[in-house]
Amino acid sequence: MIEETHIEALRVLLGEKGLLTEPADMAAYETGARYDKGRAAFVARPASTGEVSAVVAYCVKNGIALVPQSGNTGLVSGSTPDGSGRQGVLSLDRLTTPFQLNRVNRTLTAGAGLRLSDVNGRLEDAGLFFPIDLGADPRLGGMIATNTGGSRFLRYGDVRRNTLGLKVVLADEAGTVLDLGRGLRKDNTGVDWKQLFIGTSGAFGIVTECVLNLEPLPRQVATALLVPASPDRVPELLVAMEDALGSYLSAFEGMSRNAVAAAFSHVPSLRNPFQGGVVPDFVILTEISRTSPPREGEQPLDAVLEEVLGGIWEREETPLADAFVGPPAEMWALRHALSEGVKHSGRLIAFDLSFRRGDIMRFLDHMKAEMPQHFENVTICDFGHIGDGGVHFNLVVPADDPRLSDGAFEARLREWVFMVAVEEFGGSYSAEHAIGRKNQVFYDRYTPEAVRRLAAGLKAITSPGPLGSVTF
Amino acid sequence: MIEETHIEALRVLLGEKGLLTEPADMAAYETGARYDKGRAAFVARPASTGEVSAVVAYCVKNGIALVPQSGNTGLVSGSTPDGSGRQGVLSLDRLTTPFQLNRVNRTLTAGAGLRLSDVNGRLEDAGLFFPIDLGADPRLGGMIATNTGGSRFLRYGDVRRNTLGLKVVLADEAGTVLDLGRGLRKDNTGVDWKQLFIGTSGAFGIVTECVLNLEPLPRQVATALLVPASPDRVPELLVAMEDALGSYLSAFEGMSRNAVAAAFSHVPSLRNPFQGGVVPDFVILTEISRTSPPREGEQPLDAVLEEVLGGIWEREETPLADAFVGPPAEMWALRHALSEGVKHSGRLIAFDLSFRRGDIMRFLDHMKAEMPQHFENVTICDFGHIGDGGVHFNLVVPADDPRLSDGAFEARLREWVFMVAVEEFGGSYSAEHAIGRKNQVFYDRYTPEAVRRLAAGLKAITSPGPLGSVTF
């Protein structure tokens, strides 16, 4: 699908290890984590910013489209090639240097191809971590391209908040390298260009290196499962917890009965902590943590949490129906099993939505009531991050449902959910997965004309070459 | 300087209260907080986003330059007109609506013309605040245009981190209104356009409304003054405090002897807490705080701070020479008196620099040694935010110094300081004051060619009309 002279030229630029063209070698790069199988013209694996620049410049000059790929753990078809066989994959997986810790600055200068688990493993001895808590194990470049947030957003924010610098290669004929930010926390000397490359799916440039803010590792953690008096009391409970605990609070995660039940049936070793094993309609996993080590005379965190919950419990018309403090490992194990549990309970049609915090439960309630009138036999297995407004709105249909045989059913379902979430509830159709080919149609629909025009203009002045899976 | 027909047309758009043309009425809008006196062709005071749009569209169509002005508290000549008399000032001071608190979302939708003190005063009953702590009392639009940070950056970050949405008017022929972000905390659906208008001095568009993140008010605070064993031990002390206190730590401010001495002589009512009244070379004001209310059985914060400092004190080769916990109001009064004290000790030539945290003390040490060899009789009265790398690097020369009679001396001094800060120490020439006319020459010099080209391109596609005091 691509001329052999181009392959040869790229091989000269990248060396043998740096270019894959055999179908067997390329398969993993062509296949998404959950959706899609595309076909790559080649897989380029540059090992330095200079090599990225050389490959990009060559491809732009010769009209060859590139899709940047990081850990390939995304869920929106953002990092895999389409089926044409004409797109090359540019993988970040060999960009694993530098790894420079600046202890006093609390920053790490890191290659964009490093995995999150690797980064945090290597930082542990310094008592620091990159505070994005995810189920998946992406590489840094992809985390930047999606601006992911995760389960402890409430305390630490998203990738954007924790990125102090980027090195980026633009898709222009020169393969221009931009060096944006050197680890300063305060620097207001013009446009903060690095923001442009965060959350934009790699369409405006390829991140090869980053400077990350690090945080002190938590040294004390306590968790509780909370059962709200009814789902609509959840916002009140969140406010009560924030009022009492302030910045101690590091997670406030919502879990629907269906999601919890799916986790229990998929992972039988999980302990069911609910009275008589009956899972409530909706459960909150909350966490408080301290980065300071335990100190003599200080109340243990478990006791702090008990006391705060006791105070809420004793209120007239308390928003709590039940609450129990328990071991963080066990409680997080339940939370982390939800995703797999839901995936195994049928065919999963997943949405990564977000709302203003007060609107989440109203949206969920609305969908529960409306779903049967619009689509029969679709189970809502939502869970998510009430503290930051994110909802993993998962729909499950029986795996053998005949409606799945063509794409029309899923397309109608997606249309409807996005319409309600965006148009009726003012939410986002992509909280932390970014756009990708999967959400292109919704970008086109829900982005105001003036903003789309600006984005197209910006694309033309930064990376006019064919780059990425999204058309801005 | 501007045709009467234009004035009449603007008066029709804005009404009598909305347009000032009398010199006496315009004087305050023509004069900067510390520097500069310009001449305005008129002062437009629109009272709604619609009026801003109409004025901007009219001015762009007729080639009339506008300088947006917010609280006019900036220090880089960013919000006042030049001396030509051909620029109109567009003041935000009547954009004081809306003021919509969303308690569950912890957000405020606010007019860009509201003052910080007003916002926080009105939020107090809800137990929330917009967590940017400044000496000045700017309006929100200007805080966004400079991306200011202040004294509690270490805990709460800058304006960028706390801005969840903006309404912006572009300087194009339509006066296009962009509505960017509605208060969602997670929303990754393309370019995060609001970032472009944060920290860019109003050159890309005029912010008329914003959605701000609010934080729970601290309910317990403790402060201490720390005397390092020597100034070069300050980074070690910062790391020790962060290791022990984690996210309790809400300020770590540096104060030089000269700045402290200036404060004492300008404000005689300040208590001098140092042994024998002898001010040490360098002092740190540190603060820890809890947003949670005091709880029975919990160690008071003063005691926590005492204990942590005791632990650092007992180390072999401790980085501390002295430390004393004391009343927050008194200690902050000293900190807040520095700026006025320094201003009154001679002619002030001020710099708002930032560095990687480990480089600050090296820079200060270097300047102390080098200054006398480059410039005689210039006193360094620095203070700043060690915790986030910001340094208010203040130079004072005697008010009657004959070198001040022309601008050449100050210009040479500024050149030299910026050269050392930026080129030798990798710092920023504007930590949180943004660019303005005053820093234009340094923007032109220190911004890489590729980045300047991008900024010019961006200006052309967003606000091609003459807007603001900075040329991008």
Side-chain angles (χ1 to χ4, degrees):
Chain A
M1 297 301 277
I2 186 170
E3 288 165 47
E4 195 51 39
T5 53
H6 292 323
I7 298 293
E8 279 160 32
L10 290 170
R11 206 179 300 281
V12 169
L13 292 174
L14 293 166
E16 279 303 318
K17 269 174 74 181
L19 193 75
L20 308 178
T21 52
E22 290 300 316
D25 297 336
M26 297 199 294
Y29 297 87
E30 293 172 325
T31 312
R34 189 181 292 167
Y35 305 104
D36 279 355
K37 164 97 179 90
R39 279 178 59 217
F42 57 84
V43 176
R45 302 174 63 223
S48 67
T49 300
E51 286 188 4
V52 174
S53 170
V55 170
V56 168
Y58 183 88
C59 288
V60 170
K61 277 185 219 143
N62 291 282
I64 301 166
L66 287 174
V67 176
Q69 181 176 106
S70 182
N72 198 18
T73 58
L75 298 177
V76 294
S77 306
S79 57
T80 46
D82 62 22
S84 69
R86 304 188 57 80
Q87 297 183 317
V89 169
L90 190 145
S91 171
L92 307 184
D93 60 3
R94 290 173 73 212
L95 295 170
T96 52
T97 56
F99 186 92
Q100 288 165 353
L101 172 63
N102 183 329
R103 187 64 184 80
V104 173
N105 206 37
R106 267 206 283 108
T107 52
L108 177 73
T109 303
L114 286 163
R115 283 210 188 265
L116 177 59
S117 60
D118 188 20
V119 167
N120 281 338
R122 289 162 76 175
L123 289 170
E124 211 173 323
D125 284 346
L128 297 172
F129 76 133
F130 182 52
I132 308 293
D133 181 66
L134 299 175
D137 188 20
R139 298 180 195 272
L140 298 176
M143 294 178 73
I144 292 162
T146 54
N147 186 29
T148 187
S151 296
R152 290 186 174 90
F153 183 105
L154 189 58
R155 173 74 154 269
Y156 300 108
D158 52 13
V159 168
R160 188 184 301 282
R161 189 207 282 187
N162 292 286
T163 300
L164 300 182
L166 290 182
K167 197 173 274 183
V168 179
V169 176
L170 300 182
D172 58 15
E173 294 209 349
T176 298
V177 178
L178 299 179
D179 201 347
L180 305 166
R182 299 143 299 176
L184 300 175
R185 287 165 191 277
K186 276 183 172 167
D187 179 23
N188 286 291
T189 53
V191 179
D192 188 359
W193 282 99
K194 66 180 180 292
Q195 305 297 342
L196 169 63
F197 304 98
I198 300 176
T200 46
S201 311
F204 293 94
I206 298 170
V207 172
T208 61
E209 211 177 292
C210 51
V211 186
L212 304 176
N213 171 57
L214 306 176
E215 292 288 330
L217 274 169
R219 322 258 190 114
Q220 303 178 67
V221 176
T223 51
L225 292 176
L226 315 181
V227 182
S230 62
D232 65 337
R233 306 292 296 277
V234 168
E236 199 183 330
L237 194 47
L238 172 59
V239 170
M241 292 289 284
E242 285 192 339
D243 277 353
L245 289 158
S247 53
Y248 279 145
L249 203 62
S250 47
F252 194 90
E253 302 276 291
M255 309 187 281
S256 67
R257 172 167 48 197
N258 289 341
V260 172
F264 284 141
S265 45
H266 180 63
V267 187
S269 63
L270 286 172
R271 202 176 71 81
N272 183 328
F274 300 102
Q275 287 199 344
V278 181
V279 181
D281 263 9
F282 202 81
V283 185
I284 302 288
L285 165 57
T286 193
E287 181 191 84
I288 64 176
S289 57
R290 276 187 190 140
T291 41
S292 48
R295 205 170 288 115
E296 217 180 311
E298 197 183 47
Q299 209 181 10
L301 269 196
D302 267 11
V304 171
L305 189 51
E306 292 272 12
E307 202 179 294
V308 167
L309 291 172
I312 298 173
W313 178 255
E314 280 158 23
R315 289 186 188 182
E316 274 183 61
E317 301 193 47
T318 176
L320 275 179
D322 199 359
F324 32 100
V325 174
E330 190 178 286
M331 290 184 167
W332 279 107
L334 171 60
R335 170 65 183 79
H336 287 312
L338 299 180
S339 183
E340 281 298 304
V342 166
K343 227 188 291 180
H344 283 82
S345 51
R347 166 66 178 273
L348 172 61
I349 301 170
F351 301 81
D352 175 40
L353 309 174
S354 82
F355 300 92
R356 283 174 290 262
R357 306 197 308 181
D359 296 336
I360 301 175
M361 301 311 297
R362 289 200 308 115
F363 169 79
L364 293 175
D365 191 50
H366 177 90
M367 293 310 260
K368 229 162 148 176
E370 293 288 314
M371 183 65 77
Q373 294 164 48
H374 288 77
F375 297 92
E376 282 179 8
N377 208 8
V378 173
T379 311
I380 303 177
C381 299
D382 61 284
F383 57 92
H385 320 292
I386 306 283
D388 61 49
V391 181
H392 297 290
F393 188 71
N394 299 302
L395 302 180
V396 175
V397 294
D400 58 356
D401 194 308
R403 294 174 297 180
L404 295 170
S405 56
D406 67 46
F409 167 74
E410 182 176 335
R412 277 197 300 125
L413 195 52
R414 296 180 77 83
E415 289 280 328
W416 178 65
V417 171
F418 282 146
M419 190 271 290
V420 177
V422 177
E423 298 177 33
E424 293 184 28
F425 285 84
S428 169
Y429 61 86
S430 190
E432 53 177 325
H433 292 177
I435 301 176
R437 279 196 307 282
K438 220 161 173 73
N439 287 327
Q440 178 79 54
V441 57
F442 302 104
Y443 176 82
D444 295 341
R445 180 178 308 163
Y446 290 124
T447 311
E449 168 61 20
V451 173
R452 272 194 296 140
R453 221 171 37 228
L454 285 181
L458 192 58
K459 173 79 179 144
I461 62 171
T462 52
S463 283
L467 183 68
S469 51
V470 182
T471 305
F472 279 104
Chain B
M1 297 298 279
I2 186 168
E3 290 165 46
E4 195 51 39
T5 53
H6 291 324
I7 297 294
E8 279 161 30
L10 290 170
R11 206 178 300 279
V12 170
L13 292 176
L14 293 165
E16 279 303 318
K17 269 176 71 180
L19 193 74
L20 309 179
T21 52
E22 291 299 317
D25 296 338
M26 297 199 293
Y29 297 86
E30 294 171 321
T31 312
R34 190 181 294 167
Y35 304 105
D36 280 353
K37 164 97 180 91
R39 280 179 58 218
F42 57 83
V43 176
R45 302 174 64 224
S48 67
T49 300
E51 286 189 3
V52 174
S53 170
V55 171
V56 168
Y58 183 87
C59 288
V60 170
K61 277 187 218 139
N62 292 284
I64 301 166
L66 287 174
V67 177
Q69 181 175 107
S70 182
N72 199 17
T73 59
L75 299 177
V76 294
S77 305
S79 57
T80 46
D82 62 22
S84 69
R86 302 189 57 81
Q87 297 183 317
V89 168
L90 190 144
S91 171
L92 307 184
D93 61 3
R94 289 174 74 212
L95 295 171
T96 52
T97 55
F99 185 93
Q100 287 165 352
L101 172 63
N102 183 329
R103 187 63 184 79
V104 173
N105 206 37
R106 265 205 286 107
T107 52
L108 176 74
T109 303
L114 286 164
R115 284 211 188 264
L116 177 60
S117 60
D118 187 22
V119 167
N120 281 338
R122 288 162 77 176
L123 289 171
E124 210 172 323
D125 283 347
L128 297 173
F129 76 133
F130 182 50
I132 307 294
D133 180 67
L134 299 175
D137 188 20
R139 297 181 197 273
L140 297 177
M143 295 178 73
I144 291 162
T146 54
N147 187 29
T148 189
S151 296
R152 291 187 174 88
F153 183 106
L154 189 59
R155 172 75 154 270
Y156 300 108
D158 52 12
V159 169
R160 188 184 301 282
R161 188 206 281 186
N162 292 287
T163 301
L164 300 181
L166 290 182
K167 197 173 274 185
V168 179
V169 176
L170 300 183
D172 58 16
E173 294 209 348
T176 299
V177 178
L178 299 179
D179 201 347
L180 306 166
R182 297 143 299 175
L184 300 176
R185 287 164 191 278
K186 276 181 170 167
D187 179 23
N188 286 290
T189 53
V191 178
D192 187 359
W193 282 99
K194 66 180 179 291
Q195 305 297 340
L196 169 64
F197 304 97
I198 301 176
T200 46
S201 311
F204 293 93
I206 298 170
V207 172
T208 61
E209 210 177 293
C210 51
V211 186
L212 304 176
N213 172 57
L214 305 176
E215 292 288 330
L217 273 170
R219 320 262 188 111
Q220 302 178 66
V221 177
T223 51
L225 293 176
L226 315 181
V227 182
S230 63
D232 65 338
R233 307 291 296 277
V234 167
E236 198 182 330
L237 194 49
L238 171 60
V239 170
M241 292 288 284
E242 286 192 339
D243 277 354
L245 289 157
S247 54
Y248 279 146
L249 203 62
S250 47
F252 194 89
E253 302 276 291
M255 308 188 282
S256 67
R257 174 169 44 199
N258 289 340
V260 173
F264 284 141
S265 46
H266 180 61
V267 188
S269 62
L270 286 173
R271 203 176 71 80
N272 183 330
F274 300 103
Q275 286 200 344
V278 181
V279 180
D281 264 8
F282 202 82
V283 185
I284 303 289
L285 165 58
T286 193
E287 181 190 85
I288 64 176
S289 57
R290 276 185 190 140
T291 40
S292 48
R295 206 170 287 115
E296 217 181 312
E298 198 183 43
Q299 209 181 9
L301 268 196
D302 269 9
V304 171
L305 189 51
E306 291 271 13
E307 202 180 293
V308 166
L309 291 171
I312 298 173
W313 178 254
E314 280 159 23
R315 288 186 188 182
E316 275 183 60
E317 301 192 46
T318 176
L320 274 179
D322 200 0
F324 33 101
V325 173
E330 191 178 288
M331 290 185 169
W332 279 107
L334 171 59
R335 170 65 184 79
H336 287 312
L338 299 180
S339 184
E340 281 298 306
V342 166
K343 226 187 294 179
H344 283 82
S345 51
R347 166 67 177 273
L348 172 61
I349 302 170
F351 301 81
D352 175 41
L353 309 175
S354 82
F355 300 91
R356 282 173 291 261
R357 306 198 305 182
D359 296 336
I360 300 175
M361 300 311 297
R362 288 200 307 115
F363 169 78
L364 293 174
D365 191 49
H366 177 89
M367 294 310 260
K368 229 164 149 176
E370 293 287 315
M371 184 63 80
Q373 294 165 46
H374 288 76
F375 296 92
E376 282 178 7
N377 209 7
V378 173
T379 311
I380 304 177
C381 299
D382 61 283
F383 58 92
H385 320 292
I386 306 282
D388 62 49
V391 181
H392 296 292
F393 188 70
N394 298 302
L395 303 180
V396 175
V397 293
D400 57 357
D401 194 307
R403 293 174 298 180
L404 294 170
S405 57
D406 68 47
F409 167 74
E410 180 175 336
R412 278 197 301 125
L413 193 53
R414 295 180 77 83
E415 288 279 328
W416 178 66
V417 170
F418 281 146
M419 191 271 290
V420 177
V422 177
E423 297 178 32
E424 292 183 28
F425 284 83
S428 170
Y429 62 85
S430 190
E432 54 176 325
H433 292 176
I435 300 177
R437 277 196 309 281
K438 220 162 172 70
N439 287 326
Q440 178 80 54
V441 56
F442 302 104
Y443 176 81
D444 295 342
R445 180 178 308 164
Y446 291 124
T447 311
E449 168 61 22
V451 172
R452 273 195 295 141
R453 222 171 36 228
L454 284 180
L458 193 58
K459 173 79 180 143
I461 62 172
T462 52
S463 283
L467 182 68
S469 51
V470 181
T471 306
F472 278 104

